[in-house]
Amino acid sequence: MEIKQNISLKQHNTFGLDVYSGLYTEINHYNDINDILFNDVFRNSERLIIGGGSNILFTRNFTGIVVKMNIKGINIIEDNDRYVVIKANAGEEWDKFVEFAVKNNFSGLENLSYIPGNVGSAPIQNIGAFGSEVKDTIHSVEIIDINTGKQSVLSNKECMFGYRDSIFKRELKDKFIITSVYFTLSKIFKPNICYSALKNELAQSEIDNPEINLIRDAVIRVRKSKLPDPNELGNAGSFFKNPMVSREKYEILKKEYPDIKGFDNASSNEVKLAAAWLIETCGWKGYRIGDAGVHKKQSLVLVNYNNARGIDILNLAKEIQNSVYQKFNVEIEMEVNVI
Ligand code: FAD
Ligand code: EPU
């Protein structure tokens, strides 16, 4: 394990921000973990664990140590007629893991195809897309306490998953390293095509009884048509979460704004509003100030046209939050981790 000094993080964050880390190292093997945890330099520095850097906004150089989790490996540890349990290590690229599952007809992850980042980060914000959330496939999460080096395994329930939320964003934030995730994937395929953008894509392609690989392909087509490729335009996906409001508030807003878009779940007293619609209705879609901007096709995505600084993007985000609040009296929370 080598600790490097003064390393550019441009290749390690999908906003493409050219910030520097005072110290930087990569964990490639389990043995490296104890080496780093009990290293004096690590213990005395501000620390940041990263995966693919696709949900981070750096607003400054990081003076402490950045540790990239890179441990690879996918192993089937239980296999029967109905399901498999798979252990995937934190450093596996998320979409390579989904591709592996789909190729083997292990279902549950196909709607989560093509999300950037690594396996170890997936539980942190309970990644979701097209009507699926990763929590529905997570069996348990293996973690190591950064202070003691003690390993433990959290059950699905103990992870306290919610919409873009888990214990790792709250009580355990910055206290643990996720080393691997156990998934239970079904061998009995039941397509989940409730999400309208996916349903429409399958209908347009005249696919009536989609196989698992066709779902994956359709998800990738929709994603490519809407979301910017970070290799071409820096971004971190949705910058904000979709806000939850009471049904009462939703009805009031709907009277004033009949086109308002909400994901209405009849069994719940809350409605999830489409933040993209709120932001677009405030006039931000396609807005650009310097090199920071709001994506032309998806107003929930903030972009770096080239030379924006993290602080420029953060200032734009705050202006957007204020204007949405002024117009709709709704607070939109940032999804991205701001450093
Ligand atoms: P990073 O950005 O590296 O880290 C995210 C957070 O987790 C940081 O706080 C970091 O400190 C912490 N962390 C990372 N690894 C570990 C670890 N092993 N142990 C402890 N802490 C750790 N998200 C969705 O949910 N749905 C989407 O549809 C979606 N689409 C996206 C599309 C684009 C184009 C982009 C750029 C992003 C999108 N995202 C989406 C957001 C992002 O892909 C996910 O949040 C992803 O899980 C982040 O993974 P990462 O490895 O890049 O995490
Ligand atoms: N919409 C607008 N204006 C826009 C974009 C969208 O009005 O500029 C409307 C759409 O017409 C639609 C609604 O907003 O009615 C929802 O749009 P979309 O299906 O694109 O989904 P989203 O709510 O904007 C969420 C996730 C994405 C995920 C997609 C697909 C959050 C914060 N975002 O976006 O996740 O990929 O659904 O399931 O929940 C991420 O978290 O980084 C992310 C990209």
Side-chain angles (χ1 to χ4, degrees), residues 24-299:
Y24 174 89
T25 191
E26 293 186 356
I27 294 183
N28 294 304
H29 308 282
Y30 267 91
N31 293 345
D32 295 342
I33 299 178
N34 272 348
D35 290 352
I36 189 74
L37 293 188
F38 295 104
N39 179 300
D40 283 344
V41 173
F42 177 85
R43 294 190 83 79
N44 296 324
S45 305
E46 187 190 4
R47 310 131 183 179
L48 177 68
I49 315 296
I50 61 164
S54 63
N55 207 21
I56 297 180
L57 176 73
F58 286 102
T59 58
R60 57 179 166 99
N61 289 323
F62 192 78
T63 47
I65 181 162
V66 168
V67 178
K68 186 178 169 89
M69 268 306 276
N70 231 1
I71 305 177
K72 310 272 188 227
I74 296 175
N75 291 293
I76 297 175
I77 56 164
E78 194 183 331
D79 190 347
N80 61 39
D81 290 348
R82 289 174 298 130
Y83 63 84
V84 283
V85 178
I86 304 182
K87 177 183 185 185
N89 288 332
E92 280 292 335
E93 196 182 306
W94 173 256
D95 195 50
K96 291 240 168 81
F97 175 54
V98 177
E99 189 182 32
F100 163 84
V102 167
K103 275 198 177 139
N104 286 284
N105 287 313
F106 302 149
S107 66
L109 301 178
E110 54 283 357
N111 291 37
L112 304 177
S113 290
Y114 215 62
I115 296 179
N118 289 356
V119 165
S121 321
I124 293 176
Q125 71 158 8
N126 176 25
I127 56 170
F130 299 94
S132 286
E133 286 185 324
V134 75
K135 72 173 173 54
D136 296 328
T137 58
I138 289 182
H139 173 280
S140 50
V141 178
E142 191 180 278
I143 57 178
I144 287 190
D145 185 318
I146 287 180
N147 282 317
T148 63
K150 192 170 163 278
Q151 192 188 59
S152 49
V153 175
L154 291 189
S155 68
N156 179 302
K157 200 171 168 213
E158 286 169 320
C159 293
M160 297 170 77
F161 291 119
Y163 164 61
R164 295 296 188 273
D165 197 24
S166 74
I167 194 166
F168 307 108
K169 286 187 88 170
R170 295 174 182 272
E171 291 91 324
L172 302 192
K173 190 169 167 51
D174 300 329
K175 295 196 174 96
F176 287 82
I177 300 180
I178 293 178
T179 49
S180 49
V181 185
Y182 292 77
F183 296 87
T184 306
L185 302 180
S186 179
K187 289 190 174 175
I188 302 149
F189 174 53
K190 282 197 217 104
N192 169 6
I193 49 173
C194 60
Y195 203 84
S196 60
L198 178 57
K199 208 192 288 175
N200 295 343
E201 173 62 30
L202 291 165
Q204 267 175 22
S205 308
E206 297 179 6
I207 298 168
D208 298 329
N209 291 311
E211 296 294 321
I212 187 168
N213 59 321
L214 296 180
I215 299 260
R216 172 169 163 82
D217 293 348
V219 164
I220 293 176
R221 281 199 300 279
V222 177
R223 293 185 69 92
K224 283 187 171 170
S225 73
K226 286 188 182 176
L227 293 167
D229 175 351
N231 291 319
E232 289 162 14
L233 188 58
N235 76 94
S238 301
F239 198 91
F240 306 96
K241 295 185 196 180
N242 287 322
M244 306 291 293
V245 297
S246 67
R247 184 163 290 281
E248 202 184 358
K249 182 156 185 176
Y250 175 66
E251 298 302 343
I252 295 168
L253 284 166
K254 191 138 180 86
K255 273 203 185 113
E256 200 175 348
Y257 303 100
D259 296 341
I260 194 167
K261 298 220 162 70
F263 305 92
D264 202 349
N265 177 350
S267 63
S268 163
N269 267 334
E270 286 193 308
V271 177
K272 194 195 272 178
L273 298 180
W277 185 90
L278 301 174
I279 296 169
E280 180 174 341
T281 306
C282 288
W284 291 105
K285 198 169 187 171
Y287 175 86
R288 177 170 176 172
I289 176 160
D291 268 357
V294 179
H295 188 47
K296 292 186 182 112
K297 293 190 196 161
Q298 227 304 355
S299 49

